[in-house]
Amino acid sequence: MTRTRSEQAAWRREQLLDAALKVFADKGVDGATVKDLAQAAGVTPGLLYRYFDSKEAMVETLLSERGFLPRLRELLTARHDPRPAKEVLTELLEAFDRLLVSHADLMAVFFSAAQARAPLAKLVNEGQRLIGDFLAERVAAGELRAHDTGTAAKTLFATVAVNRRMGSPIDIAALVGLLFPEEG
Amino acid sequence: MTRTRSEQAAWRREQLLDAALKVFADKGVDGATVKDLAQAAGVTPGLLYRYFDSKEAMVETLLSERGFLPRLRELLTARHDPRPAKEVLTELLEAFDRLLVSHADLMAVFFSAAQARAPLAKLVNEGQRLIGDFLAERVAAGELRAHDTGTAAKTLFATVAVNRRMGSPIDIAALVGLLFPEEG
Amino acid sequence: MTRTRSEQAAWRREQLLDAALKVFADKGVDGATVKDLAQAAGVTPGLLYRYFDSKEAMVETLLSERGFLPRLRELLTARHDPRPAKEVLTELLEAFDRLLVSHADLMAVFFSAAQARAPLAKLVNEGQRLIGDFLAERVAAGELRAHDTGTAAKTLFATVAVNRRMGSPIDIAALVGLLFPEEG
Amino acid sequence: MTRTRSEQAAWRREQLLDAALKVFADKGVDGATVKDLAQAAGVTPGLLYRYFDSKEAMVETLLSERGFLPRLRELLTARHDPRPAKEVLTELLEAFDRLLVSHADLMAVFFSAAQARAPLAKLVNEGQRLIGDFLAERVAAGELRAHDTGTAAKTLFATVAVNRRMGSPIDIAALVGLLFPEEG
DNA sequence: CATGAATGAGAATTCATTCAT
DNA sequence: CATGAATGAATTCTCATTCAT
């Protein structure tokens, strides 16, 4: 149970970020005070400043260290799957949806923090691009009918994301069936 | 050119709301100070309190008085249109998109203010319901194939809204064509 | 007893500076807290910020607005006096000494504030130069023996200033008699 | 190369004081943080508290242990010198001036620390007294003309000290020549 | 109706100091 | 002996709000 000094420091840093993520998600970045953050972590406000330069620095750290862009990339690049397009696409969007669920707090921060605008835009762009690439590939392979893959990607991505965010998640199989009814 | 007392009061009230909407959209609700709001309206902070109880009250007023739910309802209830479903749907979504454009400032407030969560959810729900109703009607009329009209409505609404919000508006005709390719 | 708005503002500004001068002199610039300054003026800390940008700005204002360089210049430029040099010189140094007494608080600020280094150096330089000019003039007029007027000026200025500052003021007539014993 | 425990302790103590003196002189006592002091000594803040009770205690230690009053006394008591008064006096003031130069850091602390007021006053008083005694002795011996030796001592001491402090050191020979022109 | 001086509560941040390791 | 994580009290400054004019 005893920790070395540097272990303790690393652990505390993560603990502070964990607590901050929850508080930011709950109250918004502006709404959360440094006192709130400290209390949530069970420490005094001063300690935060041993680990981070400022409250804003904590937000930025969360956005960069806890961002799920790498994981999103990983998921959506699983395209050379031999299974039918609709099956793969459904699985892919479901994984994306699960990613959103497991990062619900971070999503809340994305929507409350001014600093999060750019990272969010990047996330959206890349997500749409990766889905678009997948669709284009399957169209090229003759598996899906020719269609506007860019629009389709935007549609799929936005629909999953918005409905998850609004707390009324969508039926992903139905969504895929809607866009590609006769296929597969 | 002279105004009666109550005309003057009404005019000033609107002027304060106009200014506040811009400032809130620009700096976020928490980021905007009462001084900012007053300056933008060319008055002193004290005056705001003759017209509104608090800064938060201004936000709530904007959300309720400037909310476009009534207008949205009006638009999306234009369903007894004799024209083909796809044509009407396209026009309807385009009107919705224009509505978002003309209320861009308010949309920003929706995303920055904690108080805006509930009104936003209401807006989304009602929008989706109205589109769903329209689709169901046309399916019932045999004009559109049978499909999950709820999912379709969520899809259409989310796609238009998200992409407008992200600053990369979608091609609505393409979107409609994507969902109802062979029809119409 | 009633004051107009702008009179009140001007009066309050001066009152805050008066209070600050005393507190700074008493506790030093770093030792004085904004709370101290406000309490001394009988107001709340926030009010200081309506009149000054920061605590440091108050110091700077004191240094520039309450500085006595102009008055010093005036005093020490009274050189075309027809009376004997020693008489004029004595009177001049006594006036300088009185100036120091009446600005004792400000002198304390000069010694406690980092920002005061440059203004203090300027004060000293100019004081020494003006006295030196006076002496040189009287030497040229044959009234005082030839001597190093620069050194004499530094000596006179430093001696009056230091001993006043240390709380053991010097006998100025004796000082003048010491430097110019047989003359006059 | 190995040190005994107490040697090591003594050495570390001096090292901490050396570092503190520089930092205090540079940033002022209030401006210097304990972290600054520790960093300058290449140790951690906690260690300072093994050697000193507080930051203020370090200032007091510097003022008492590094004070140059003993050395000043030594210098200025060199009065039974058989050489001419002016020669001895010049040498004496030059030694005093050098003392100030070599303790420039400490002088800065004298001017920045509230606690230093009393020690400084003591230094000045004693310095003036010792020079006064020397002058009185030489007057008694008939070597210098009768004059106000107290005023002369104050003059000499203040002039050397102020001008050194202001960064424009005085020509000491000229100063002595000014006060005792025809003598010696 | 409108002003702007003044308040009071609280925000972020700093820092001397302690203490378990 | 030495570290550095943690504290707690203070500090500067901000800002929504009130109210006499």
Side-chain angles (χ1 to χ4, degrees):
Chain A
M1 225 26 169
T2 50
R3 273 188 278 259
T4 69
R5 277 285 175 75
S6 77
E7 274 170 0
Q8 159 70 10
W11 173 84
R12 177 51 45 101
R13 199 187 118 96
E14 293 313 303
Q15 186 221 359
L16 296 181
L17 288 176
D18 289 344
L21 182 51
K22 279 186 196 121
V23 176
F24 283 143
D26 193 33
K27 307 192 167 189
V29 167
D30 287 326
T33 69
V34 172
K35 205 178 164 192
D36 290 335
L37 299 174
Q39 261 169 3
V43 299
T44 48
L47 189 61
L48 298 186
Y49 291 87
R50 271 195 77 72
Y51 292 90
F52 304 97
D53 283 344
S54 66
K55 190 175 95 166
E56 297 307 299
M58 294 192 82
V59 178
E60 278 157 28
T61 302
L62 283 171
L63 254 26
S64 61
E65 293 190 9
R66 304 278 173 107
F68 51 86
L69 186 54
R71 184 89 190 88
L72 180 69
R73 235 171 241 157
E74 222 175 275
L75 280 179
L76 302 188
T77 314
R79 58 192 160 192
H80 296 303
D81 196 304
R83 287 174 296 162
K86 282 175 70 175
E87 199 178 324
V88 176
L89 186 58
T90 302
E91 201 167 80
L92 205 139
L93 291 174
E94 278 170 349
F96 171 49
D97 194 38
R98 284 194 300 276
L99 199 60
L100 293 178
V101 171
S102 64
H103 290 75
D105 284 350
L106 191 68
M107 289 307 295
V109 177
F110 270 122
F111 283 91
S112 106
Q115 305 116 74
R117 292 288 131 78
L120 183 56
K122 197 174 174 184
L123 198 67
V124 170
N125 287 335
E126 187 144 8
Q128 292 180 342
R129 192 177 54 71
L130 289 169
I131 295 179
D133 287 352
F134 171 83
L135 294 174
E137 200 173 284
R138 296 297 174 121
V139 168
E143 194 183 354
L144 295 177
R145 75 176 193 282
H147 69 287
D148 183 337
T149 55
T151 294
K154 282 183 172 186
T155 300
L156 292 165
F157 192 89
T159 304
V160 171
V162 163
N163 288 287
R164 172 55 65 192
R165 171 88 192 127
M166 296 308 299
S168 56
I170 204 162
D171 176 337
I172 288 173
L175 173 63
V176 172
L178 188 70
L179 261 73
F180 306 104
E182 77 283 10
E183 284 142 306
Chain B
M1 230 20 171
T2 51
R3 275 187 277 258
T4 68
R5 276 286 173 79
S6 77
E7 273 171 357
Q8 155 71 10
W11 172 84
R12 173 54 43 105
R13 202 185 115 97
E14 295 311 303
Q15 185 219 358
L16 297 181
L17 288 176
D18 289 344
L21 181 52
K22 278 190 197 114
V23 176
F24 284 143
D26 193 33
K27 306 191 167 189
V29 167
D30 286 320
T33 70
V34 172
K35 203 178 164 192
D36 290 335
L37 299 173
Q39 259 169 5
V43 301
T44 50
L47 190 61
L48 297 185
Y49 290 86
R50 291 211 140 264
Y51 292 89
F52 303 95
D53 284 345
S54 66
K55 189 175 100 169
E56 298 307 299
M58 295 191 81
V59 178
E60 279 156 27
T61 303
L62 283 172
L63 252 27
S64 59
E65 294 189 8
R66 303 282 171 104
F68 49 85
L69 187 54
R71 185 86 190 92
L72 180 69
R73 237 172 240 157
E74 221 175 278
L75 278 179
L76 301 189
T77 315
R79 58 194 159 190
H80 297 303
D81 195 303
R83 287 174 296 162
K86 283 176 70 176
E87 199 177 324
V88 176
L89 187 58
T90 301
E91 200 169 82
L92 205 139
L93 293 173
E94 276 170 350
F96 170 50
D97 194 39
R98 283 195 301 274
L99 199 59
L100 292 177
V101 171
S102 66
H103 290 75
D105 283 350
L106 191 69
M107 289 307 294
V109 177
F110 269 122
F111 285 91
S112 112
Q115 306 116 75
R117 293 290 130 77
L120 182 57
K122 196 173 173 186
L123 197 67
V124 170
N125 287 334
E126 187 143 10
Q128 292 180 344
R129 194 178 54 70
L130 290 168
I131 294 179
D133 288 353
F134 171 83
L135 293 175
E137 200 172 286
R138 296 295 174 122
V139 167
E143 192 183 355
L144 292 178
R145 75 176 192 282
H147 69 287
D148 182 338
T149 54
T151 295
K154 282 183 172 186
T155 299
L156 292 165
F157 193 87
T159 304
V160 171
V162 163
N163 287 289
R164 173 55 66 193
R165 172 85 190 131
M166 297 305 302
S168 56
I170 204 161
D171 176 338
I172 289 174
L175 173 64
V176 171
L178 187 69
L179 260 72
F180 307 104
E182 76 284 9
E183 286 142 304
Chain C
M1 225 23 169
T2 51
R3 273 187 277 261
T4 70
R5 277 285 174 76
S6 77
E7 273 170 0
Q8 159 70 9
W11 173 84
R12 176 50 45 102
R13 199 187 119 97
E14 293 313 303
Q15 185 221 359
L16 296 181
L17 287 176
D18 290 343
L21 182 51
K22 278 185 195 123
V23 176
F24 283 143
D26 193 31
K27 307 192 167 189
V29 167
D30 287 325
T33 69
V34 172
K35 203 178 165 190
D36 290 336
L37 298 173
Q39 260 169 4
V43 299
T44 49
L47 189 60
L48 298 185
Y49 292 88
R50 270 196 77 75
Y51 291 89
F52 304 96
D53 283 344
S54 65
K55 190 175 95 166
E56 297 307 300
M58 294 193 81
V59 178
E60 278 157 28
T61 303
L62 283 172
L63 254 25
S64 60
E65 292 189 9
R66 303 281 172 105
F68 51 85
L69 186 54
R71 183 89 191 89
L72 179 71
R73 235 171 242 157
E74 222 177 276
L75 279 179
L76 301 188
T77 315
R79 58 193 160 193
H80 297 303
D81 195 306
R83 287 173 297 162
K86 282 175 69 175
E87 199 178 323
V88 176
L89 186 57
T90 301
E91 200 167 79
L92 205 139
L93 292 174
E94 278 170 347
F96 171 50
D97 195 39
R98 284 194 301 273
L99 199 60
L100 293 178
V101 170
S102 64
H103 291 75
D105 284 349
L106 191 69
M107 289 307 294
V109 178
F110 270 122
F111 284 92
S112 107
Q115 305 117 76
R117 292 289 132 77
L120 182 57
K122 196 173 175 187
L123 198 68
V124 169
N125 287 337
E126 187 144 9
Q128 292 180 343
R129 192 178 55 70
L130 290 168
I131 296 179
D133 288 352
F134 171 83
L135 294 175
E137 200 173 284
R138 295 299 174 120
V139 167
E143 192 185 353
L144 294 177
R145 75 176 193 283
H147 68 287
D148 182 339
T149 54
T151 295
K154 282 182 172 188
T155 300
L156 292 165
F157 192 88
T159 304
V160 170
V162 163
N163 288 285
R164 172 54 67 194
R165 170 89 191 126
M166 297 305 303
S168 56
I170 203 161
D171 177 338
I172 288 172
L175 174 63
V176 172
L178 188 71
L179 260 73
F180 307 104
E182 77 284 9
E183 286 141 305
Chain D
M1 227 26 173
T2 52
R3 275 187 276 258
T4 69
R5 278 283 174 80
S6 77
E7 273 170 0
Q8 155 70 8
W11 173 83
R12 172 56 40 106
R13 203 185 115 97
E14 293 313 303
Q15 185 220 358
L16 297 181
L17 287 175
D18 289 344
L21 181 51
K22 278 187 197 116
V23 176
F24 283 143
D26 193 33
K27 307 191 165 187
V29 167
D30 286 319
T33 71
V34 172
K35 203 177 164 191
D36 291 335
L37 298 174
Q39 259 169 6
V43 299
T44 51
L47 190 61
L48 297 185
Y49 290 85
R50 291 209 140 265
Y51 292 89
F52 304 95
D53 284 346
S54 67
K55 189 175 100 168
E56 297 308 298
M58 294 192 81
V59 178
E60 279 157 26
T61 302
L62 282 172
L63 253 27
S64 60
E65 292 189 9
R66 302 284 172 102
F68 50 85
L69 186 54
R71 184 87 191 92
L72 180 71
R73 236 172 239 153
E74 220 176 279
L75 278 180
L76 301 189
T77 315
R79 57 193 161 195
H80 297 303
D81 193 306
R83 287 174 297 162
K86 282 176 69 175
E87 199 177 324
V88 176
L89 187 58
T90 302
E91 200 168 79
L92 205 140
L93 292 174
E94 278 170 348
F96 171 51
D97 195 39
R98 283 193 300 273
L99 199 60
L100 293 177
V101 170
S102 65
H103 290 73
D105 283 350
L106 192 69
M107 290 307 294
V109 177
F110 271 121
F111 284 91
S112 111
Q115 307 117 76
R117 293 288 132 77
L120 183 57
K122 197 173 173 187
L123 197 69
V124 170
N125 286 336
E126 187 144 8
Q128 292 180 343
R129 193 178 54 69
L130 289 168
I131 296 179
D133 289 352
F134 171 83
L135 294 175
E137 200 174 283
R138 298 296 175 119
V139 168
E143 195 185 353
L144 294 177
R145 74 176 195 284
H147 68 289
D148 183 337
T149 56
T151 295
K154 282 182 173 188
T155 300
L156 292 166
F157 192 89
T159 305
V160 171
V162 162
N163 287 288
R164 172 56 65 191
R165 173 83 189 132
M166 297 305 303
S168 57
I170 204 162
D171 177 337
I172 289 174
L175 173 64
V176 172
L178 188 71
L179 260 73
F180 307 105
E182 76 284 9
E183 285 143 303

